[in-house]
Amino acid sequence: RRIDAMLRDMQTRFGTTIVYVTHDMAQARRIGEAVFCASGGTVRGPFAPEPFFANPPDAAAAAYLEGLREPEEERIRPGPS
């Protein structure tokens, strides 16, 4: 949480936008004013944090929030050994 406070302080003091990349969804919820989602080489957003977490905009975001890397239909399956 010290990082959260430090980032907020820097943003207030310098009046600038900060891009912070994290996989920590609790932290993203705490400090994010906007959420972006990256999947398959595409970045989508911005999304307001609470609506994003309550109702993910697509299957990739929903799967990530459920702890998966990507939706089942898009998962790369290993070939025969």
Side-chain angles (χ1 to χ4, degrees):
R1 297 209 186 233
R2 287 179 30 198
I3 290 175
D4 299 2
M6 180 190 73
L7 290 171
R8 288 255 184 232
D9 180 57
M10 287 174 54
Q11 184 181 28
T12 301
R13 273 197 295 163
F14 300 116
T16 188
T17 298
I18 296 174
V19 177
Y20 184 74
V21 178
T22 183
H23 289 109
D24 181 338
M25 295 299 105
Q27 186 177 48
R29 271 185 130 137
R30 281 194 311 271
I31 67 173
E33 292 179 6
V35 174
F36 290 79
C37 185
S39 176
T42 302
V43 177
R44 293 173 314 285
F47 304 104
E50 287 310 313
F52 176 84
F53 290 104
N55 187 24
D58 57 35
Y64 182 77
L65 293 174
E66 291 171 13
L68 302 174
R69 293 187 177 204
E70 51 196 10
E72 183 66 29
E73 64 271 13
E74 294 178 14
R75 188 168 298 149
I76 297 173
R77 290 175 175 74
S81 302

